């Protein structure tokens, strides 16, 4: 499958070989989850989630029959992946909204800071797309970028003059515009931990700025302040039949997550909550249910050309120990808006792994350049100068350390930085997209000193990760496995290896059990360090907002001591 970049690698073409830099000649990612084996697709069906792995906080918009969807990216670089579809089932990634250092300044921030909760909206009044988000880095705060054509890149950011998080923009049919966002209550008015408010501002489209003095609190606390609701956030405004609807997440991004809705006769309120709230949640269900989907919320709605509605939202699929290693994923459900308020169809009962296709749509996922879902194999041979958009860096551009060689293979020029530092790392990442998976690569590399290391990393953050790589001690070469938990590292295992030929490295996850193996010839893999726990690669243990990232990693500042 090929979703090729128009920047980064494409600008540089194939590169010259750097002496002694590690070269990765192939990567095979393979997913094999039981849920897909037990629920094969029949004609007229597709899988939910539509984006597996760490693609959280989805937002969606439409122009004509073109749908565009964006997700949070935190300190990943480039930022804000953007997807395109004609039918809400078959998606291609067309790039990233924030793909330049002038737009994305996350070089010195933790992995779960950076870019949160982007919203994307098309303004028919001026035929322009807008992406508005919070960037917790680079002295940005809340920012907005825009474009006439999402396929051709986005403007540099405009810093917006308000505090808070999770902004979303709304364009009314009279030409006026508004921004809604989460904020703290007025000074001295916070009633409890997690008490937040939703604010609205009038927005000056000509000057791309909120209008000073127009802000107003339109939701205080949530649906029912007497019940002390927490974390009212991720607001979106919609207009239907002359009335204004405000949809928000409530309950925090965890087990109490939900989606709620309010209505008003004017954009600036007052807003009345729907009597049927929440309109989406998995929080009331049997915790031992099969094929568990949980934490559903943080949603956005889109109307199809024929007047139907769909909602995208985040949810998680924990492993057998209840741990969240894949992160928060993007799901979709049809929405029934035949009554006064929208309701996610089957959004309050246990979610199924499959949905019925919209009428007249053919399922092409995983074919013809469309993003795959279900169980799939992704093979990257590094023969094209243009890398698939799924490959991402951390805190800095990929092209600063990675290049495709003329003879094939990916060369990583090591930074003097380890995966444990809050700096740009010389690591090319692919998201973990299944609870049961394998990630295998072939590495050609001869380290010159104990400071040199290259191999695989599995990272939930700079403080929680595994490193499985080749380094040197005295005159010998070693393969080492290191576990870092809460910033404290220990070597689990090491073994002497010959590096006359390329070495194959593999990490395999079966639920919470991870194995690191190597092969110096043929298809026989030898496990190093036994079965290790994936606990540190879960949100439950590591905290934060990302999923596990599987990386091709190199450093010239190795601090792992071979025992």
């Amino acid at each position: 499958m090929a979703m090729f970049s128009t920047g980064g690698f494409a600008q540089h073409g194939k590169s010259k070989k750097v002496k002694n830099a590690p070269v990765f000649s192939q990567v095979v990612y393979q997913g094999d989850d039981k849920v897909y084996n037990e629920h094969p697709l029949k004609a007229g069906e597709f899988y939910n989630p539509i984006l597996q792995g760490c693609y959280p906080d989805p937002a969606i918009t439409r122009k004509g029959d073109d749908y565009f969807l964006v997700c949070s990216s935190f300190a990943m670089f480039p930022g804000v992946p953007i997807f395109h579809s004609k039918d809400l089932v078959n998606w291609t990634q067309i790039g990233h909204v924030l793909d330049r250092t002038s737009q994305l300044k996350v070089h010195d921030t933790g992995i779960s800071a950076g870019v949160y909760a982007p919203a994307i909206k098309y303004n028919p009044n001026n035929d322009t797309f807008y992406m508005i988000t919070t960037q917790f880095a680079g002295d940005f705060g809340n920012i907005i970028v825009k474009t006439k054509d999402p396929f051709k890149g986005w403007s540099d950011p405009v810093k917006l003059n308000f505090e808070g998080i999770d902004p979303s923009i709304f364009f009314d049919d009279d030409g006026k515009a508004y921004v809604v966002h989460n904020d703290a209550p007025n000074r001295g008015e916070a009633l409890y931990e997690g008490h937040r408010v939703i604010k609205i501002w009038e927005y000056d489209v000509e000057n791309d700025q909120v209008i000073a003095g127009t802000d107003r609190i339109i939701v205080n606390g949530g649906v029912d302040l007497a019940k002390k609701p927490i974390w009212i956030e991720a607001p979106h405004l919609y207009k239907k039949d002359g009335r204004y609807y405000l949809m928000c997440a409530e309950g925090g991004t965890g087990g109490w997550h939900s989606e709620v809705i309010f209505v008003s006769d004017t954009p600036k309120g007052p807003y009345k909550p729907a009597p049927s709230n929440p309109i989406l949640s998995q929080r009331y269900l049997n915790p031992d249910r099969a094929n568990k989907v949980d934490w559903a919320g943080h949603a956005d709605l889109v109307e199809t050309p024929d007047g139907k509605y769909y909602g995208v939202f985040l949810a998680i699929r924990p492993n057998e120990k209840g741990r969240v290693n894949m992160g928060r994923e993007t799901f979709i459900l049809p929405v029934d808006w035949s009554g006064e308020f929208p309701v996610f169809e089957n959004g309050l009962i246990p979610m199924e792994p499959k949905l019925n296709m919209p009428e007249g749509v053919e399922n092409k996922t995983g074919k013809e350049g469309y993003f795959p879902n279900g169980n799939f194999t992704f093979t990257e041979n590094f023969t094209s100068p243009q890398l698939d958009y799924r490959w991402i860096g951390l805190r800095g551009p990929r092209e600063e350390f990675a290049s495709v060689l003329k003879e094939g293979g990916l060369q990583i020029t090591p930074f003097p930085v380890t995966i444990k530092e809050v700096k740009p790392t010389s690591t090319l990442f692919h998201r973990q997209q299944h609870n049961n998976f394998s990630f295998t690569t072939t590495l050609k590399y001869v380290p010159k000193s104990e400071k040199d290391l290259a191999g695989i990393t599995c990272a939930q953050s700079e403080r929680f990760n595994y490193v499985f790589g080749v380094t040197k001690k005295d005159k010998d070469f070693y393969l080492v496995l290191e576990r870092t938990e809460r910033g404290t590292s220990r070597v689990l295992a090491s073994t002497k290896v010959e590096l006359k030929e390329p070495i194959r490295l593999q990490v395999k996850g079966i639920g919470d059990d991870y194995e690191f193996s190597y092969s110096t010839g043929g298809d026989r893999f030898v496990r190093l360090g036994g079965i290790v726990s994936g606990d540190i690669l879960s949100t439950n243990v590591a905290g934060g907002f990302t999923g596990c990232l599987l990386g091709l990693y190199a450093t010239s500042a190795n601090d792992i001591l071979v025992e």
Side-chain angles (χ1 to χ4, degrees):
M1 149 162 198
M3 290 172 286
F4 291 145
S5 171
T6 55
F9 283 88
Q11 294 174 1
H12 293 275
K14 298 198 176 185
S15 300
K16 293 181 180 179
K17 196 165 187 177
V18 174
K19 190 176 181 182
N20 202 46
V23 175
F24 297 87
S25 56
Q26 187 186 67
V27 174
V28 179
Y29 173 89
Q30 190 163 20
D32 187 27
D33 280 351
K34 184 179 177 183
V35 62
Y36 298 121
N37 293 324
E38 293 182 347
H39 295 84
L41 288 178
K42 298 175 184 175
E45 295 179 333
F46 70 106
Y47 283 126
N48 211 13
I50 52 173
L51 301 178
Q52 295 166 220
C54 180
Y55 293 101
D57 308 331
I60 191 168
T61 196
R62 176 179 65 86
K63 175 188 176 183
D65 61 355
D66 291 297
Y67 298 91
F68 297 93
L69 184 151
V70 294
C71 302
S72 290
S73 55
F74 310 104
M76 303 169 198
F77 201 113
V80 188
I82 179 168
F83 297 86
H84 170 258
S85 178
K86 291 281 190 181
D87 52 31
L88 297 172
V89 173
N90 303 300
W91 293 89
T92 55
Q93 187 172 356
I94 61 171
H96 292 80
V97 176
L98 305 178
D99 58 6
R100 306 187 298 277
T101 52
S102 60
Q103 299 169 308
L104 189 59
K105 299 181 185 295
V106 292
H107 55 279
D108 58 357
T109 195
I111 195 172
S112 278
V115 177
Y116 279 57
I120 186 170
K121 287 289 185 292
Y122 172 66
N123 182 3
N125 302 315
N126 63 0
D127 188 30
T128 302
F129 291 85
Y130 293 76
M131 193 283 295
I132 185 171
T133 191
T134 310
Q135 187 170 160
F136 284 103
D139 193 33
F140 268 138
N142 292 300
I143 58 171
I144 196 164
V145 295
K146 60 185 182 179
T147 184
K148 291 286 187 181
D149 185 349
F151 291 92
K152 294 182 177 178
W154 296 72
S155 69
D156 276 349
V158 173
K159 186 174 179 178
L160 299 172
N161 297 331
F162 61 88
E163 302 297 321
I165 62 170
D166 292 9
S168 180
I169 195 162
F170 168 73
F171 301 102
D172 210 341
D173 43 26
D174 61 3
K176 291 185 178 180
Y178 303 86
V179 167
V180 288
H181 65 95
N182 159 298
D183 208 344
N186 291 332
R187 188 181 298 273
E189 295 181 9
L191 302 177
Y192 52 87
E193 183 71 22
H195 178 195
R196 303 290 286 181
V197 303
I198 301 297
K199 280 186 178 178
I200 190 168
W201 298 75
E202 295 176 25
Y203 186 81
D204 182 345
V205 177
E206 293 299 318
N207 296 300
D208 282 316
Q209 191 57 261
V210 292
I211 300 173
T214 62
D215 56 311
R216 177 185 298 182
I217 293 174
I218 52 175
V219 173
N220 182 15
V223 168
D224 184 353
L225 187 60
K227 294 181 179 179
K228 298 184 178 180
I230 59 170
W231 294 106
I232 190 79
E233 58 189 0
H236 293 288
L237 265 181
Y238 312 94
K239 190 175 187 180
K240 184 175 185 287
D241 299 331
R243 304 184 80 197
Y244 298 85
Y245 292 83
L246 176 71
M247 192 173 75
C248 307
E250 189 183 279
T253 299
W256 202 244
H257 206 201
S258 71
E259 197 71 15
V260 297
I261 196 150
F262 307 78
V263 67
S264 174
D265 292 325
T266 65
K268 298 183 76 171
Y271 279 87
K272 177 185 75 172
S276 56
N277 281 318
I279 59 173
L280 168 70
S281 186
Q282 297 285 281
R283 68 190 182 195
Y284 300 112
L285 305 175
N286 180 352
D288 298 322
R289 60 193 181 274
N291 303 319
K292 185 176 181 179
V293 174
D294 212 354
W295 299 8
H298 199 120
D300 194 10
L301 302 179
V302 68
E303 184 182 8
T304 68
D306 59 358
K308 295 178 181 177
Y309 284 86
Y310 283 81
V312 294
F313 57 96
L314 73 80
I316 57 103
R317 295 179 298 155
N319 66 22
E320 79 286 355
K321 291 191 175 178
R323 293 187 177 131
V324 183
N325 289 47
M326 291 186 290
R328 299 167 302 155
E329 306 176 288
T330 289
F331 289 71
I332 192 168
L333 281 177
V335 171
D336 182 351
W337 206 340
S338 57
E340 182 181 7
F341 295 100
V343 176
F344 285 76
E345 294 184 15
N346 298 325
L348 296 170
I349 63 174
M351 290 187 191
E352 298 290 336
K354 299 190 294 184
L355 291 175
N356 291 325
M357 301 279 288
E359 189 175 343
V361 176
E362 179 186 352
N363 190 340
K364 297 181 180 179
T365 52
K367 307 170 187 173
E368 300 176 23
Y370 291 105
F371 218 63
N373 61 13
N375 286 333
F376 58 83
T377 299
F378 169 62
T379 301
E380 175 66 85
N381 288 313
F382 302 117
T383 55
S384 168
Q386 299 167 308
L387 274 187
D388 191 293
Y389 284 126
R390 282 175 283 188
W391 291 112
I392 50 172
L394 182 59
R395 304 189 189 92
R398 304 172 302 175
E399 56 265 31
E400 291 189 356
F401 62 85
S403 55
V404 175
L405 298 175
K406 292 178 181 178
E407 61 269 33
L410 181 89
Q411 174 182 270
I412 293 184
T413 303
F415 290 163
V417 176
T418 73
I419 198 68
K420 294 172 272 190
E421 297 181 74
V422 183
K423 297 176 181 178
T425 68
S426 42
T427 320
L428 196 66
F429 285 106
H430 183 286
R431 294 161 174 85
Q432 180 182 330
Q433 298 179 289
H434 299 80
N435 280 315
N436 298 342
F437 76 95
S438 63
F439 180 82
T440 309
T441 187
T442 301
L443 170 65
K444 185 176 182 181
Y445 182 51
V446 180
K448 294 300 182 186
S449 77
E450 70 278 359
K451 291 294 184 182
D452 298 324
L453 179 142
I456 289 174
T457 182
C458 299
Q460 177 67 226
S461 75
E462 54 275 358
R463 300 182 70 242
F464 295 85
N465 53 72
Y466 285 102
V467 169
F468 182 52
V470 173
T471 188
K472 189 177 184 182
K473 180 183 179 183
D474 300 325
K475 293 184 178 181
D476 296 315
F477 303 109
Y478 287 84
L479 186 60
V480 294
L481 176 62
E482 180 189 66
R483 173 184 166 103
T484 297
E485 182 175 2
R486 290 181 172 80
T488 300
S489 303
R490 62 188 176 100
V491 175
L492 301 183
S494 64
T495 187
K496 193 181 297 187
V497 290
E498 292 286 336
L499 296 178
K500 293 175 183 176
E501 299 293 331
I503 187 170
R504 295 173 72 199
L505 304 176
Q506 180 181 83
V507 58
K508 183 181 289 187
I510 303 175
D512 192 61
D513 295 334
Y514 283 62
E515 302 176 13
F516 294 86
S517 305
Y518 69 99
S519 173
T520 53
D523 292 325
R524 179 177 173 268
F525 277 85
V526 179
R527 192 170 68 196
L528 184 68
I531 295 174
V532 300
S533 176
D535 56 354
I536 61 169
L537 304 176
S538 72
T539 305
N540 315 60
V541 172
F545 300 107
T546 65
C548 175
L549 299 177
L550 310 170
L552 308 177
Y553 170 56
T555 178
S556 59
N558 174 47
D559 61 353
I560 302 173
L561 298 176
V562 177
E563 297 175 351

